[in-house]
Amino acid sequence: MPDPRTGRRPTVSASVHCRVSVRAVWLARAVPWAGPAAAVGLVALAVLCPGLRAAGFDGTAREERHRAADNWLSYDRDNTGQRFSPLDQINRSNIGDLVVQWAYQFHPVPLRSEATPIVRDGVMYATAGGTLAFALDATTGRALWRFDYPFEAQGRGRPPDWNRGFAISGQRLYMGTVDCHLVALDARTGSLLWKSLITEEQPCFAATSAPLVVRNRVLIGVRGGDTGRLRGFLDAFDSETGERAWRYYTVPAPGDSGSETWPDTDAWKAGGAAPWTTGTYDPALDLLYWPTGNPGPKDFDGRNREGDNLYSASVLAMRPDDGELVWHYQFTPHDEHDWDANETPVLVDAEWQGQPRKVLLQANRNAFFYVLDRTNGEFLLGEPFARQTWAKGISPDGRPILNPEAIPSLQGAFACPDIHGGTNWHAPSYNPGTGLMYVTARDGCGVYYRTGHSIDHDGRPARQFVRAIDIQDGTTRWEIPFLGDEAQEINHAGTMTTGGGLVFFSSRVGNFAAADARTGEVLWHFNTGGTIRASPMTYAFQGRQYVAIVSKNGLFTFALHP
Amino acid sequence: MTLREMTAWTRIGLAGAVLLSTVWVGSWTICEASAQDASFTGSGPAPKNPLSRDAAAVQAGRGLYQQRCAVCHGQDARGSMASNLVRSRIVARGSDAALFRILARGIPGTEMPPQADLEEIQVWQVVSYLHGLARPGLQPPVRGDVDAGRELFRAVGCSGCHRVDGEGGFWGPALDSIAARKTSEQIRADVLEPSSKVIEGFRSVVAQAADGRRIEGLLKNQDTFSVQILARDGTYAFLARSDIRVLESSSESAMPDYYGQTLRDEQLQDLLAFLDRQRDPFVPFDRGFQNY
């Protein structure tokens, strides 16, 4: 197993012992706490491992720790949102030997495939489009069961036929659906246990995010913040019965805290702020971190919603038991550019600017990279990571200093980033070994009208990148520019990083690739032959590490050539 | 519009339609064409089914089917030398009249002969039987005490393996949609003679691995290179063929075959009435490879 810092490959005989110790070092530095599902094993590993090399250890405990490291149990692997796996069998020195192991093709062909599969103990659970779900032997890709959700049609036209995958708890799998239900399936057989309507009292525009499980709560929000008809909310359901435990409206009603940021009209009833992606959770602080979308009723014309429009384009820190709001931070007050803040709030414990801190990192669609103190929401840093003209900077109190020329107008106002943002919902990742956050970024500009938006490249075409952001100061340490056909087209493919010192990323035209996490040197690539609009994951089973990515009509899995 | 005037997509669509109609549903097109020129008697309006879908007609139709059709289309009409009629578009969605015409005239140019020696009423009986197979929802509900049946479902052990409404075990197929997929006759047969047809994916299996392990469970999937087995504790075992010394799969269902003896007639009727109400359109399970 090579050392992740030097890339040297030790002798084969040392590899088993060494893997445990390398993981331990990485983990001790990386995740002294972690999400509850993966947490038990990880924490034990982090705490115990430095001593293990000398002390020797009990085989069963070792097995369990291995298993925790081997699994990928939620959309972002664990509840930190880091998308960092300690697995290092596939690493910088041998990535050239990575080959396809198996593929699984979706039928019928979904409109979009945005899901990240999850893997527990060698079984992969994945969704395709908005209705198909299946379990596969993760070593061969052979199907164990398949479930096809017969959704209830919502009005006319093709529904948003995609979701981003499962959450798992015990023998239950949870999936959001195109008709706004939370569905629970038996993980062993794929049979339906229950389905609960999410959108009671609100119109349905689909539940596309992967749910998050915290203890006995299953959390999920909905999309629809651009429709001018939705008052956003986050729902918590009982993980066993499917009963709703609580609902938190992300737009306060008149009289509630935050309602002073709305005019004295009915605008709040269509105030948007949809939490349409998956949040994260810190078990030590018992806080959920959930990002919200743009305000309504109109995306680009804020004249009928004067004020900051809380809690749109924000991150909310909440109690999982009852949905109590503990603190909030609004990235884009009174957003008029459709810059949802639905990017992953990544939770990291690190030495930050000389002090050990519990921080929350977000590379926001508004092109700024933020560092917050996640214990209290204190703003620590806000620096651009992609081309932007809308703000002159972020003031020390965390409020953006606006450029008035970038505000949408009747004649059109030029502003960067364009509607697609400096990044978007697709997952970023953070590697504790490098201290870098890996973001699929876009440099692009547009003209914003009160009635809409047109992409105007200011004579320069938009460009797509993978950027490595130093979390200490927000600077870009390296970038990988996409070229040719994939240089300009909006890329909704996320990243994933590993203990093998690698970062995996993908492109619009279907290239799946890996780079050195320290330098950005591209070491490996593979053409999947279909648009990638998802984020990669990795897992191990029976001593073998795999990497998987969903690409348009299929799912591809890779491992080292034996 | 000439071919030249069509857009590229129209041409592709047309070509696809022609290809589909000639290759995929060739027989269907042929019989539709023949159905348009004549009825059973050779002329006049489309015939109407004089039979309600009563049990006697279905039963008679089943007898006729077994004598004449089963040899090619299979005992259960799921296809053998000739096509699967349960999945057939014309059986599932076509009118009674269209099916009647095919039976009466045969499909020229194929092995499907006309049933010219049958009485008209007998042809309708076969039509009733086939439509009942493909569209079980059209059957009249099974008589019996549904609540008593629900109680029996728990009391006699069905729910230990089968799930209904999210309650029950995972060892057998979930039954929420059973009556939407099967006729009451088939369900009755499944209860009384579970081993007459074991559903793939629920077959009991024992694998002896080359390393000495013995793995017992349900054979969920197998191919030329690998085998996937679900164990009683809900975990999966994956084996490469090359690592298996012996793989013994049972021809017997894991379900007990004594319900015919242990249940009184009215109890069985109540249980069947309960199962007959399980018409949830959800497809609760599907083996992964069936989608191709």
Side-chain angles (χ1 to χ4, degrees):
Chain A
M1 208 57 44
D3 183 299
R5 284 141 298 173
T6 63
R8 276 200 299 273
R9 190 201 290 262
T11 58
V12 175
S13 60
S15 72
V16 172
H17 181 81
C18 198
R19 177 202 284 194
V20 174
S21 60
V22 168
R23 277 182 187 163
V25 171
W26 276 71
L27 281 166
R29 224 191 296 157
V31 250
W33 63 272
V40 179
L42 284 176
V43 169
L45 186 56
V47 172
L48 296 173
C49 268
L52 292 180
R53 257 184 292 188
F57 42 85
D58 144 69
T60 319
R62 180 177 62 177
E63 221 166 77
E64 275 183 20
R65 286 192 295 273
H66 266 284
R67 206 189 286 170
D70 288 355
N71 290 338
W72 185 289
L73 293 174
S74 62
Y75 179 70
D76 288 317
R77 184 177 184 275
D78 56 45
N79 293 342
T80 66
Q82 292 182 12
R83 276 185 178 254
F84 166 76
S85 165
L87 295 174
D88 58 6
Q89 189 179 70
I90 299 165
N91 55 55
R92 286 196 304 264
S93 61
N94 59 20
I95 180 84
D97 298 331
L98 199 63
V99 292
V100 172
Q101 292 304 294
W102 52 263
Y104 181 80
Q105 298 191 25
F106 306 150
H107 182 86
V109 172
L111 188 61
R112 289 183 189 170
S113 300
E114 300 192 344
T116 299
I118 62 177
V119 170
R120 189 176 69 185
D121 302 339
V123 182
M124 176 180 284
Y125 306 97
T127 65
T131 57
L132 283 180
F134 42 89
L136 308 175
D137 171 346
T139 64
T140 62
R142 299 304 308 190
L144 306 171
W145 53 255
R146 194 180 112 99
F147 175 82
D148 195 353
Y149 178 77
F151 61 92
E152 293 155 30
Q154 306 286 320
R156 297 162 68 183
R158 194 167 179 181
D161 180 26
W162 64 88
N163 71 45
R164 302 197 188 89
F166 279 125
I168 191 167
S169 175
Q171 293 293 6
R172 291 187 179 84
L173 291 163
Y174 306 95
M175 172 176 96
T177 70
V178 299
D179 58 0
C180 299
H181 285 77
L182 178 68
V183 164
L185 304 181
D186 187 319
R188 298 166 294 202
T189 59
S191 67
L192 179 79
L193 296 172
W194 45 257
K195 60 171 196 166
S196 296
L197 181 64
I198 303 170
T199 45
E200 267 172 26
E201 299 166 15
Q202 287 287 321
C204 168
F205 304 102
T208 50
S209 60
L212 183 76
V213 177
V214 173
R215 293 195 291 272
N216 64 339
R217 299 271 186 265
V218 187
L219 300 135
I220 190 165
V222 288
R223 67 190 285 279
D226 297 332
T227 60
R229 291 169 57 200
L230 182 83
R231 180 185 177 205
F233 59 87
L234 179 67
D235 268 4
F237 291 87
D238 184 290
S239 61
E240 283 194 20
T241 63
E243 310 267 325
R244 184 183 281 101
W246 50 262
R247 164 173 292 183
Y248 183 83
Y249 276 105
T250 52
V251 179
D256 290 351
S257 175
S259 61
E260 67 283 359
T261 64
W262 289 87
D264 194 14
T265 64
D266 278 350
W268 63 276
K269 288 184 180 169
W276 55 271
T277 50
T278 306
T280 53
Y281 174 66
D282 180 342
L285 298 170
D286 194 30
L287 284 176
L288 280 173
Y289 301 93
W290 219 282
T292 62
N294 59 280
K298 290 184 179 170
D299 291 17
F300 306 106
D301 183 355
R303 288 176 301 171
N304 61 355
R305 51 173 170 85
E306 288 304 320
D308 282 354
N309 307 138
L310 289 175
Y311 296 98
S312 66
S314 304
V315 62
L316 309 179
M318 312 171 81
R319 295 281 175 220
D321 280 341
D322 55 7
E324 180 202 347
L325 181 67
V326 177
W327 60 256
H328 76 275
Y329 175 79
Q330 191 175 39
F331 300 97
T332 315
H334 190 69
D335 173 24
E336 289 185 297
H337 296 88
D338 192 11
W339 289 331
D340 306 75
N342 300 80
E343 293 69 51
T344 313
V346 179
L347 313 183
V348 170
D349 286 0
E351 188 93 347
W352 193 81
Q353 296 194 352
Q355 278 178 25
R357 288 202 93 132
K358 290 175 183 293
V359 294
L360 180 155
L361 314 171
Q362 198 197 52
N364 194 282
R365 187 162 163 181
N366 71 16
F368 279 83
F369 169 75
Y370 293 86
V371 181
L372 308 178
D373 181 329
R374 74 168 181 275
T375 63
N376 55 18
E378 183 192 347
F379 169 82
L380 300 176
L381 180 93
E383 289 292 333
F385 66 92
R387 189 166 177 224
Q388 73 82 24
T389 63
W390 70 278
K392 290 165 184 150
I394 314 287
S395 70
D397 67 355
R399 241 190 128 74
I401 305 156
L402 295 182
N403 167 15
E405 288 173 12
I407 294 170
S409 64
L410 205 57
Q411 299 77 21
F414 176 84
C416 318
D418 65 23
I419 179 109
H420 302 297
T423 187
N424 210 313
W425 58 266
H426 40 273
S429 59
Y430 170 77
N431 192 317
T434 61
L436 300 174
M437 182 148 137
Y438 306 101
V439 179
T440 309
R442 176 180 174 88
D443 285 354
C445 304
V447 176
Y448 291 85
Y449 303 89
R450 279 178 190 152
T451 48
H453 170 276
S454 80
I455 293 177
D456 179 311
H457 303 303
D458 184 26
R460 286 190 294 171
R463 293 295 306 275
Q464 291 286 151
F465 302 87
V466 172
R467 288 198 168 120
I469 303 171
D470 188 330
I471 70 161
Q472 299 296 329
D473 55 15
T475 56
T476 295
R477 281 305 160 97
W478 53 254
E479 66 182 23
I480 300 167
F482 289 95
L483 306 174
D485 291 342
E486 44 200 27
Q488 297 174 37
E489 292 293 323
I490 173 70
N491 183 349
H492 283 304
T495 70
M496 180 269 291
T497 183
T498 70
L502 296 167
V503 54
F504 288 84
F505 62 98
S506 315
S507 76
R508 170 83 175 206
V509 306
N511 282 317
F512 181 44
D516 186 322
R518 299 163 312 172
T519 63
E521 184 193 353
V522 179
L523 302 173
W524 176 88
H525 62 93
F526 176 86
N527 176 13
T528 63
T531 291
I532 297 180
R533 212 187 148 90
S535 307
M537 56 85 67
T538 185
Y539 61 95
F541 188 60
Q542 293 171 339
R544 192 144 193 246
Q545 186 187 353
Y546 302 80
V547 177
I549 185 74
V550 166
S551 165
K552 185 56 185 173
N553 307 336
L555 196 162
F556 291 80
T557 293
F558 305 83
L560 295 177
H561 196 279
Chain B
M1 184 164 60
T2 66
L3 199 61
R4 193 179 298 254
E5 287 160 354
M6 292 176 184
T7 64
W9 282 111
T10 318
R11 260 178 275 157
I12 290 166
L14 187 72
V18 169
L19 197 68
L20 272 179
S21 56
T22 50
V23 179
W24 183 49
V25 285
S27 56
W28 184 70
T29 336
I30 292 160
C31 64
E32 279 294 272
S34 62
Q36 275 161 12
D37 37 287
S39 73
F40 184 49
T41 51
S43 64
K48 287 202 165 58
N49 189 347
L51 303 171
S52 59
R53 283 176 221 285
D54 62 35
V58 169
Q59 197 57 37
R62 184 183 183 197
L64 287 164
Y65 175 89
Q66 296 296 340
Q67 288 165 28
R68 296 171 164 261
C69 318
V71 62
C72 290
H73 289 284
Q75 293 281 321
D76 57 358
R78 284 169 192 273
S80 139
M81 284 151 61
S83 60
N84 179 335
L85 298 176
V86 178
R87 290 267 171 106
S88 148
R89 189 167 282 241
I90 194 78
V91 176
R93 298 194 200 153
S95 65
D96 278 12
L99 192 52
F100 179 91
R101 287 182 184 120
I102 293 171
L103 287 165
R105 300 174 59 96
I107 302 177
T110 73
E111 298 284 310
M112 174 70 191
Q115 309 295 316
D117 55 325
L118 285 184
E119 300 287 327
E120 192 170 325
I121 196 75
Q122 290 178 302
V123 178
W124 286 121
Q125 286 165 347
V126 178
V127 166
S128 298
Y129 169 66
L130 288 176
H131 272 163
L133 271 187
R135 290 181 280 192
L138 294 178
Q139 294 181 114
V142 171
R143 277 189 293 273
D145 184 337
V146 175
D147 289 333
R150 185 190 319 266
E151 189 46 46
L152 278 166
F153 188 77
R154 254 190 296 272
V156 303
C158 309
S159 64
C161 293
H162 296 285
R163 178 174 287 129
V164 166
D165 287 339
E167 302 273 329
F170 67 93
W171 205 241
L175 301 181
D176 302 81
S177 64
I178 188 72
R181 291 183 285 122
K182 294 194 171 197
T183 63
S184 52
E185 244 178 83
Q186 289 167 327
I187 296 172
R188 185 188 181 89
D190 287 349
V191 172
L192 298 179
E193 298 166 48
S195 295
S196 65
K197 181 155 190 169
V198 179
I199 299 173
E200 293 307 329
F202 293 89
R203 190 178 287 284
S204 299
V205 71
V206 178
Q208 305 277 2
D211 63 8
R213 277 185 304 156
R214 180 187 151 86
I215 294 137
E216 233 175 298
L218 297 180
L219 185 57
K220 284 293 166 178
N221 193 48
Q222 59 169 333
D223 59 34
T224 314
F225 306 104
S226 69
V227 168
Q228 287 79 22
I229 298 170
L230 177 65
R232 201 71 183 91
D233 65 359
T235 60
Y236 275 96
F238 308 137
L239 296 163
R241 286 275 185 192
S242 55
D243 294 337
I244 300 175
R245 196 178 295 145
V246 186
L247 185 71
E248 283 173 10
S249 60
S250 171
S251 59
E252 301 287 304
S253 170
M255 177 167 152
D257 57 2
Y258 49 63
Y259 289 118
Q261 285 86 57
T262 55
L263 291 179
R264 294 193 309 277
D265 283 353
E266 70 270 22
Q267 285 181 315
L268 180 62
Q269 201 55 40
D270 293 346
L271 185 62
L272 293 175
F274 168 67
L275 291 173
D276 186 61
R277 301 309 187 275
Q278 307 312 316
R279 297 184 178 199
D280 196 308
F282 280 90
V283 178
F285 67 89
D286 186 356
R287 298 186 71 208
F289 61 79
Q290 283 181 340
N291 50 353
Y292 309 109

